[in-house]
Amino acid sequence: MGYDPVQQLPGEEDEALAEMGSGYFGCSHYMRRCKIRAPCCGEIFDCRHCHNEAKNSLEVDPVKRHDIPRHEIQRVICSLCNTEQDVQQRCAQCGVYMGKYYCSKCKFFDDDVSKNQYHCDKCGICRTGGEENFFHCNRCGCCYSTLIKDSHICIEKAMHHNCPVCFEFVFDTTKDITVLPCGHTMHLDCVMQMEKHFQYSCPVCSKSYCDMSRVWEKLDEEVASTPMPEMYQNKKVWILCNDCGERCMVNFHIVAHKCPKCKSYNTRQTREGSRAASSSPSRATEDVTV
């Protein structure tokens, strides 16, 4: 069912204008009662994400692909009366609120206030979840849940990068983000996809991000039940542990190599102990379901 603006009588109280048309307009990204005119190409879109998806599709000439400069938006179009005007929360023509949540700094509108949006001056963008539930880490350059305020590992510009799985820029993504124990950040859904493929190490630094003790126990059993031929029984190799960083010499085994310090099998073989370890991504030596 569509929205009929005639049902709302003129001269209603301000509260009614805040609700008029709410929930009937918007796109798959945001419920809002306005469209934006992109300052970069002059075209009209429901929101910046709609613009970016359209202007970065495979059908667009690579030379012409671009993202909207979000803070440079100057003009909006009211969805109820189609009046184009300067960016403001209330329509200059019909007086309706174009978004229950409005940020003049980000030029951002949203009718779904259940997200508990707030603007972080240090991030320079609006975030969701309630300002009281987050703190801004100056070194990481982003907002984190107060639940990890005293325990998170600081990594400079921790979110100012592409997700190592889907390659979407993490800092201003609308998807849920998770912070791994090593301090690196990525999409929560991408971590869940990794687990479906039995990948339990950070794709950036290769450290295990969950309790792998049961997996290591299974590998202990498999190593013990797989004796090496006599010609390899005294063979030694250098390994680097991705979990604790220990570099040491261990007995060679075809199944896996165990770190003598932290007992992890998340190791990689190196040429010798005195040389720097390879920086190529690694994982646990065998995929075993926890």
Side-chain angles (χ1 to χ4, degrees):
M1 184 189 336
Y3 170 74
D4 182 4
V6 178
Q7 295 175 353
Q8 291 290 349
L9 301 176
E12 286 185 312
E13 296 180 354
D14 189 69
E15 184 177 343
L17 289 173
E19 295 295 334
M20 185 185 295
S22 176
Y24 289 93
F25 301 95
C27 60
S28 61
H29 305 104
Y30 303 111
M31 297 301 295
R32 62 210 305 188
R33 286 162 277 177
C34 68
K35 299 178 184 292
I36 60 173
R37 185 175 292 279
C40 44
C41 54
E43 298 181 34
I44 297 174
F45 294 90
D46 285 312
C47 74
R48 69 181 183 90
H49 296 293
C50 291
H51 169 280
N52 294 345
E53 289 174 2
K55 294 300 180 180
N56 289 286
S57 67
L58 296 177
E59 290 74 24
V60 177
D61 183 344
V63 178
K64 297 181 180 179
R65 294 175 189 171
H66 66 281
D67 288 340
I68 195 170
R70 59 192 296 176
H71 293 96
E72 296 178 16
I73 297 172
Q74 299 296 328
R75 303 287 287 176
V76 295
I77 299 91
C78 175
S79 297
L80 275 75
C81 68
N82 293 318
T83 301
E84 184 168 345
Q85 57 203 280
D86 291 338
V87 176
Q88 55 195 317
Q89 186 172 18
R90 296 185 63 176
C91 174
Q93 178 64 29
C94 66
V96 72
Y97 282 70
M98 292 183 278
K100 292 180 182 178
Y101 176 83
Y102 167 68
C103 177
S104 59
K105 296 178 180 179
C106 292
K107 317 295 177 63
F108 174 65
F109 302 80
D110 196 352
D111 270 336
D112 183 6
V113 293
S114 66
K115 301 174 184 176
N116 294 321
Q117 301 93 329
Y118 69 96
H119 180 85
C120 175
D121 283 326
K122 293 183 177 179
C123 282
I125 60 175
C126 290
R127 296 201 175 278
T128 60
E131 186 173 7
E132 69 281 3
N133 298 317
F134 292 85
F135 73 97
H136 185 89
C137 176
N138 291 324
R139 182 180 177 187
C140 294
C142 51
C143 288
Y144 288 129
S145 169
T146 53
L147 297 175
I148 62 170
K149 186 172 184 178
D150 299 323
S151 61
H152 84 284
I153 297 175
C154 283
I155 295 180
E156 191 168 357
K157 301 294 182 182
M159 289 191 191
H160 296 256
H161 63 84
N162 295 335
C163 173
V165 173
C166 69
F167 302 109
E168 179 185 328
F169 192 57
V170 172
F171 181 70
D172 57 1
T173 183
T174 57
K175 301 175 183 177
D176 290 334
I177 297 296
T178 186
V179 183
L180 302 181
C182 56
H184 293 114
T185 56
M186 57 187 296
H187 292 127
L188 177 60
D189 185 61
C190 290
V191 174
M192 296 173 67
Q193 291 299 319
M194 286 173 53
E195 291 179 353
K196 289 181 179 179
H197 293 83
F198 311 112
Q199 300 293 321
Y200 303 108
S201 59
C202 172
V204 178
C205 67
S206 297
K207 288 186 177 181
S208 302
Y209 61 77
C210 57
D211 183 8
M212 299 292 288
S213 57
R214 291 177 59 190
V215 180
W216 304 157
E217 289 174 3
K218 291 182 179 181
L219 281 174
D220 280 337
E221 295 174 2
E222 187 167 352
V223 168
S225 63
T226 312
M228 293 297 294
E230 184 177 353
M231 63 181 294
Y232 289 109
Q233 288 182 359
N234 296 319
K235 180 178 174 60
K236 301 285 186 178
V237 293
W238 283 98
I239 63 167
L240 170 69
C241 179
N242 294 319
D243 287 338
C244 71
E246 183 76 3
R247 188 179 291 113
C248 54
M249 183 180 288
V250 297
N251 289 326
F252 171 77
H253 200 283
I254 192 64
V255 174
H257 298 119
K258 185 175 184 177
C259 172
K261 181 179 180 181
C262 70
K263 313 305 179 184
S264 168
Y265 277 100
N266 182 15
T267 63
R268 68 181 81 181
Q269 188 174 332
T270 62
R271 290 185 178 277
E272 61 179 72
S274 60
R275 294 183 182 180
S278 168
S279 60
S280 60
S282 183
R283 55 177 175 82
T285 51
E286 183 175 46
D287 295 333
V288 182
T289 304
V290 178

